Amino acid sequence: MEQLLELYQTMGVSPAVYAFGQAALDRLKDRFAAIDQVAEYNQAKVLWAMQKNKVSAACFAATTGYGYDDLGRDNLERVYADVFHTEAALVRPQITCGTHALTVALSANLLPGDELLSPVGLPYDTLQEVIGIRESTCSLAEYGVSYRQVDLLEGGGFDYEGIKKAINEKTKLITIQRSKGYATRPTFSVSQIGELIAFCKSVKPDVLVMVDNCYGEFVETMEPSDVGADMTVGSLIKNPGGGLAPIGGYICGTKKCVDRCAYRLSAPGLGQEVGANLGLMPALYQGFFLAPTVVAAAEKGAIFAANLYEPLGFPCIPNAAESRHDIIQAVELGSEEGMIAFCKGIQAAAPVDSFATPWPSDMPGYEDRVIMAAGAFVQGSSIELSADGPIRPPYAVYFQGGLTWPHAKLGILLSLQKMVDAGLVRL
Ligand SMILES: *Cc1c(COP(=O)(O)O)cnc(C)c1O
């Protein structure tokens, strides 16, 4: 301990901040143990899928060109399908990000004249242009797909009456976003999502349901695909890439839906048969293998942050005691100075670019200035320790990731240290 304290002091963490952190940690033993249990189950789930599909060194070979008969790629898709308990999976480096994966899933399964319904309010920012809620070139709206939305009730619950009314003969696909993203509503648990899916299918049995699973993978022992989702979709530079995947997205679901996604991603007639792996298979396999414990580390970081900041008077969403269904933590710091100090601490703790100073700046597509802290091995990766937020009341930073728990812990301690140094917090 002496040794650790000394090194932490060299790195800028004072004994007072360290002690404050340890006191918070003492209260979290049971919750961390529960997270470890989920991780143990999910680790076994991933391992079993890899064993069952006989993953071998041959799966790690690079392919180029068309990528016909790509053993590694095809087997990785079987591993994902087994973990998500689905008939099929599309897992590709050619899917460039989460938004792309969601776009493929939507545009492959919606035809002109069909209607898309979101029963959980406004979807994630980037999807608004995909759907055409904000006018955009090549949006689904341009292709004659209409959109309807039912907002959540005041308390955050599902408006079942409204949803029943909104489902009509044109409703083809229902999109459910699991994580709150940058909204203030709660994140849904997998079992809540299951109830919503069951209700929608009781109103219209043949309606398709897609779940945006970004930031939710491996936080629970079940995934949306276990509770009736036809497609479960996410990004490999978030949870399931385990920090090692340098790019990619996934769609797990019914064979019928995933086949259509593959034809949309490549070309009608080609589908899943093409798409070279470009040597990325070791990272995609190993990242998926690490993902359950990486997600556990990130979740511990989120809970630690809430339990450090809430007692100091900063509102946290979710709050310090709430159960978790994704890895995002919002902390309302109440001032621009607070956001800057917090982000400086996260940046200073990074393995990459620790010497950089985050500062609010204008960003394309945002009305307010935005501040971002990230010192990541993979550019833009948000399973790595990162924090960001728009400079506007209530001056909330959204904090997520951390490939290891000790790194997440140090980042949060340093954020608090910068707050103390700036005179914004007194311990
Ligand atoms: C991150 C995210 C997306 C989009 O993913 P990108 O990889 O940034 O394109 C979509 N939905 C939710 C809820 C997300 O958190």
Side-chain angles (χ1 to χ4, degrees):
M1 261 320 102
E2 259 324 273
Q3 204 185 11
L4 176 65
L5 266 174
E6 210 173 285
L7 181 53
Y8 270 178
Q9 251 182 294
T10 311
M11 295 172 85
V13 179
S14 69
V17 164
Y18 178 77
F20 191 78
Q22 289 309 105
L25 273 182
D26 283 341
R27 302 190 294 270
L28 292 174
K29 288 209 173 74
D30 291 349
R31 292 192 70 190
F32 279 24
I35 290 171
D36 288 337
Q37 269 182 357
V38 172
E40 185 174 351
Y41 176 82
N42 285 328
Q43 184 72 82
K45 186 158 72 166
V46 171
L47 271 171
W48 173 235
M50 290 187 171
Q51 291 165 2
K52 185 184 158 207
N53 290 290
K54 298 192 162 55
V55 173
S56 68
C59 296
F60 305 145
T63 61
T64 54
Y66 294 111
Y68 292 136
D69 302 315
D70 188 325
L71 173 75
R73 176 198 69 203
D74 293 347
N75 210 26
L76 181 67
E77 291 179 336
R78 284 190 286 271
V79 168
Y80 262 73
D82 280 338
V83 165
F84 283 84
H85 304 126
T86 54
E87 293 170 3
L90 186 66
V91 186
R92 300 286 167 125
Q94 285 81 12
I95 300 177
T96 54
C97 59
T99 305
H100 188 193
L102 291 157
T103 302
V104 168
L106 291 172
S107 55
N109 288 283
L110 288 159
L111 294 173
D114 288 340
E115 189 160 278
L116 170 67
L117 171 68
S118 171
V120 294
L122 199 61
Y124 191 77
D125 298 58
T126 55
L127 279 203
Q128 295 170 21
E129 282 183 272
V130 172
I131 295 166
I133 299 169
R134 277 186 284 131
E135 206 179 300
S136 184
T137 307
C138 287
S139 68
L140 287 169
E142 252 195 8
Y143 286 91
V145 174
S146 57
Y147 171 73
R148 205 178 277 257
Q149 175 178 317
V150 178
D151 288 333
L152 295 170
L153 297 171
E154 200 118 322
F158 304 128
D159 177 4
Y160 285 116
E161 253 335 281
I163 294 167
K164 191 170 178 182
K165 276 197 212 120
I167 296 176
N168 60 63
E169 68 287 349
K170 283 171 66 185
T171 312
K172 174 73 174 298
L173 198 153
I174 291 179
T175 179
I176 300 172
Q177 185 180 311
R178 177 173 174 181
S179 168
K180 66 181 174 305
Y182 295 139
T184 46
R185 66 146 167 106
T187 289
F188 306 124
S189 69
V190 171
S191 86
Q192 281 176 302
I193 290 172
E195 282 166 32
L196 180 55
I197 294 174
F199 178 79
C200 292
K201 296 211 172 197
S202 76
V203 177
K204 188 168 189 181
D206 61 346
V207 77
L208 299 172
V209 176
M210 179 191 84
V211 175
D212 175 352
N213 205 27
C214 282
Y215 287 128
E217 298 91 350
F218 297 129
V219 173
E220 299 184 40
T221 55
M222 285 196 311
E223 299 293 340
S225 43
D226 292 312
V227 294
D230 298 277
M231 290 184 284
T232 300
V233 184
S235 161
L236 299 197
I237 64 165
K238 294 179 180 171
N239 304 14
L244 293 187
I247 191 169
Y250 76 89
I251 302 167
C252 292
T254 63
K255 182 161 184 337
K256 205 170 161 199
C257 284
V258 172
D259 275 350
R260 291 193 68 93
C261 293
Y263 290 128
R264 182 78 290 155
L265 178 66
S266 61
L270 301 183
Q272 228 155 337
E273 306 293 320
V274 296
N277 74 51
L278 306 172
L280 295 174
M281 283 301 122
L284 266 54
Y285 276 100
Q286 200 178 354
F288 198 47
F289 166 73
L290 292 175
T293 50
V294 167
V295 169
E299 202 188 344
K300 287 175 185 176
I303 292 172
F304 181 51
N307 281 273
L308 212 59
Y309 279 93
E310 196 176 82
L312 292 168
F314 300 100
C316 292
I317 307 162
N319 71 35
E322 241 170 285
S323 71
R324 306 271 158 161
H325 310 293
D326 68 11
I327 61 164
I328 301 178
Q329 180 63 52
V331 183
E332 294 182 5
L333 294 160
S335 71
E336 176 168 347
E337 294 70 37
M339 292 180 75
I340 293 171
F342 186 102
C343 288
K344 272 185 177 171
I346 298 298
Q347 189 76 38
V352 180
D353 293 332
S354 60
F355 48 85
T357 304
W359 206 250
S361 64
D362 292 316
M363 296 257 299
Y366 290 86
E367 273 182 51
D368 304 281
R369 286 172 306 141
V370 175
I371 185 162
M372 290 189 174
F377 293 101
V378 172
Q379 237 186 72
S381 165
S382 47
I383 187 63
E384 297 187 53
L385 192 66
S386 47
D388 47 72
I391 306 286
R392 62 165 182 249
Y395 300 100
V397 289
Y398 294 85
F399 160 85
Q400 66 268 312
L403 296 185
T404 71
W405 154 239
H407 178 220
K409 178 183 173 184
L410 177 60
I412 296 152
L413 288 177
L414 267 175
S415 76
L416 181 59
Q417 185 71 56
K418 301 287 181 194
M419 297 281 291
V420 171
D421 293 348
L424 298 163
V425 167
R426 196 135 24 111
L427 296 182

